Amino acid sequence: KSWQDLTSWEIVKALVRKPVAGLEWISNLIEASTRMGEFMRARDKGKSVEEAAYDAVEITLNFGRSGATGQQINRMVPFFNACIQGGDKLYRLFKTDPKTTMLRIGTYIILPSIVLWAANHDKDWYKELDPAIKMNNWILPGGSIRIPKPQEAGVLFGSGFEAVLDAAAGQDQKAMGEWATTFLENMTPGVMPTLILPLIEWVSNYSFFRNKPVVSQSMQRLPDELQYGPYTSETSKFVGGIAGVSPAKLDNLWRGYTGTMGMFLIQAPDLWAADKQNLPAKKLSEMAFVRDFAINDMNLNRTMNDFYRLKEAAAKQHAGYGKKGKPTAEVAGVNVAAQSILKLQKEAREITASPKYNSVQKRALVDKLQAKQKKIAQLCIKKYGNKFDY
């Protein structure tokens, strides 16, 4: 039977037996409900069945619209055609009705972006946001919830205005460059076949979807089996510990082949495992599924990312121009900060594994150590940031 022919009880049983297929069905149902609503509105306005059907297809991205070449590439590179069609639809909207299109963009994209920027821009948590998160999402006041922006118009116009305001206010001189990079990445379709992309990311230690290392610089010096963060699944930690491979890379490999639904399933045992292993307590914003719509510590990493770029720039300068064993005062200062942060990270791992504290106590202690790391990084950037090109 198809999903449409099942009774309510049969659907429930099927969801339990085949959770991946069930989640896919729910996703398709939400997509279809949007199109059906548009179809009914068009019919109420007196449009023909053909016209209403066309409006329903075009209300969101028309995934069926493609050329012969796009169809062939899309078989090996999912979302290749979706990326092409997103830009094409924006172009067609401006070509067909530029005034209405610009009015809607101004009302539903530019205005909310400016209002939220005005509410958030002077807050410390907003300044700490990962640029990729900031550019691709609207962040509600308070910094707890993020809403994805439209991939094309949302980043081009919404994030574009935010970047101009950040630069004009002297708050972020890199904002325009980060906006341009994000927009180009969103408009450029991937070309690597999905079959081998996760393996390439494993070998290169770089996520082309997230545009950052799979194993962060802070973890690269650790043994492979210890390369995991607070959001790495317990399943990957278990397998990584046995096989001696990086849990962070295992998570990325699984995500690459199964997507968001697969990650949701592999993270399902996390709550049980965390309780059994007495791991640091998690906030609601860090829970599986919830963290995809919330702001958490993983997203508030601007300072630490800048610090590691500064550290890399200092190492390159010393390797290229410095004398062996005699670093300049600036390079030495960055190295001292890096060693201090490394010690704090080791202390946090020891607390996480210690049986002396409960999960709530561990969380409080780890949070304090992370705050110390960020403070050291901020002082280092303030003192030496203008000495290196990073």
Side-chain angles (χ1 to χ4, degrees):
K1 289 183 179 181
S2 67
W3 285 99
Q4 292 80 2
D5 298 329
L6 297 178
T7 66
S8 299
W9 175 240
E10 287 174 328
I11 289 175
V12 172
K13 289 193 294 183
L15 289 175
V16 173
R17 293 174 181 172
K18 299 180 179 180
V20 174
L23 291 171
E24 182 179 359
W25 176 77
I26 292 173
S27 177
N28 291 335
L29 178 64
I30 295 173
E31 175 78 14
S33 64
T34 301
R35 299 188 189 279
M36 181 56 70
E38 180 61 22
F39 178 84
M40 296 173 66
R41 281 192 294 270
R43 289 291 287 158
D44 289 341
K45 293 178 181 178
K47 292 187 177 183
S48 67
V49 173
E50 291 78 9
E51 291 172 329
Y54 178 81
D55 288 351
V57 169
E58 287 290 322
I59 189 63
T60 60
L61 200 61
N62 183 358
F63 295 100
R65 190 176 187 272
S66 68
T69 303
Q71 287 180 346
Q72 295 300 319
I73 297 177
N74 210 61
R75 292 178 179 178
M76 297 180 291
V77 186
F79 307 113
F80 174 88
N81 184 60
C83 185
I84 297 294
Q85 295 303 323
D88 178 72
K89 181 172 183 178
L90 184 62
Y91 168 77
R92 287 187 286 118
L93 287 171
F94 270 108
K95 184 178 180 180
T96 304
D97 192 351
K99 291 183 179 179
T100 301
T101 300
M102 198 64 231
L103 178 62
R104 289 176 177 173
I105 287 175
T107 303
Y108 300 113
I109 293 179
I110 296 177
L111 182 59
S113 297
I114 293 175
V115 170
L116 289 173
W117 180 90
N120 297 331
H121 78 281
D122 57 346
K123 305 297 190 297
D124 289 339
W125 61 262
Y126 184 80
K127 298 174 184 178
E128 274 296 307
L129 272 175
D130 186 316
I133 296 294
K134 185 190 297 185
M135 293 291 173
N136 287 297
N137 298 269
W138 284 300
I139 314 299
L140 298 188
S144 57
I145 299 175
R146 54 180 164 137
I147 302 173
K149 296 174 182 174
Q151 183 169 324
E152 297 83 16
V155 175
L156 175 60
F157 295 100
S159 299
F161 270 82
E162 292 171 10
V164 169
L165 291 170
D166 274 338
Q171 182 170 305
D172 186 357
Q173 297 306 317
K174 296 181 180 179
M176 294 303 297
E178 290 165 347
W179 163 74
T181 299
T182 303
F183 177 66
L184 288 175
E185 289 172 348
N186 285 4
M187 296 299 293
T188 304
V191 294
M192 293 186 185
T194 305
L195 183 63
I196 63 172
L197 181 58
L199 296 176
I200 293 175
E201 291 183 336
W202 181 295
V203 174
S204 65
N205 187 40
Y206 190 80
S207 170
F208 294 95
F209 177 72
R210 288 177 167 77
N211 296 305
K212 63 181 182 181
V214 176
V215 178
S216 67
Q217 291 189 15
S218 63
M219 296 191 295
Q220 288 175 14
R221 297 178 61 179
L222 297 173
D224 288 352
E225 63 272 14
L226 296 181
Q227 293 176 351
Y228 58 82
Y231 309 110
T232 307
S233 71
E234 295 302 318
T235 302
S236 290
K237 290 180 186 178
F238 176 75
V239 175
I242 294 176
V245 297
S246 168
K249 288 187 175 181
L250 283 173
D251 261 8
N252 191 72
L253 187 73
W254 179 259
R255 184 184 294 107
Y257 284 117
T258 65
T260 302
M261 294 180 183
M263 285 306 300
F264 181 74
L265 293 176
I266 199 176
Q267 291 166 346
D270 282 6
L271 286 176
W272 176 83
D275 181 62
K276 291 295 182 182
Q277 298 175 30
N278 189 29
L279 298 176
K282 287 187 176 181
K283 301 175 184 177
L284 177 62
S285 61
E286 298 170 337
M287 300 294 185
F289 184 74
V290 175
R291 64 171 173 248
D292 293 325
F293 304 94
I295 295 296
N296 51 51
D297 291 343
M298 188 177 183
N299 311 132
L300 301 173
N301 57 7
R302 181 70 179 267
T303 293
M304 296 308 299
N305 287 344
D306 285 348
F307 171 77
Y308 285 115
R309 281 194 289 268
L310 172 62
K311 178 176 175 290
E312 184 177 358
K316 286 182 178 180
Q317 186 181 98
H318 179 65
Y321 303 102
K323 294 181 180 180
K324 186 176 181 180
K326 295 182 179 180
T328 64
E330 293 82 4
V331 172
V334 173
N335 290 340
V336 169
Q339 288 298 320
S340 298
I341 289 174
L342 192 63
K343 290 180 181 178
L344 291 171
Q345 290 171 343
K346 182 178 180 181
E347 187 176 345
R349 290 194 299 272
E350 291 172 349
I351 289 173
T352 299
S354 174
K356 294 193 301 181
Y357 309 103
N358 61 39
S359 61
V360 176
Q361 291 171 327
K362 286 182 177 182
R363 180 56 194 248
L365 291 170
V366 169
D367 282 351
K368 288 182 179 179
L369 292 174
Q370 289 177 340
K372 288 182 180 180
Q373 293 174 44
K374 186 174 293 185
K375 186 65 176 178
I376 292 172
Q378 288 172 339
L379 293 173
C380 183
I381 292 170
K382 184 177 180 180
K383 188 172 183 178
Y384 303 113
N386 61 346
K387 306 296 183 181
F388 303 95
D389 182 15
Y390 67 102

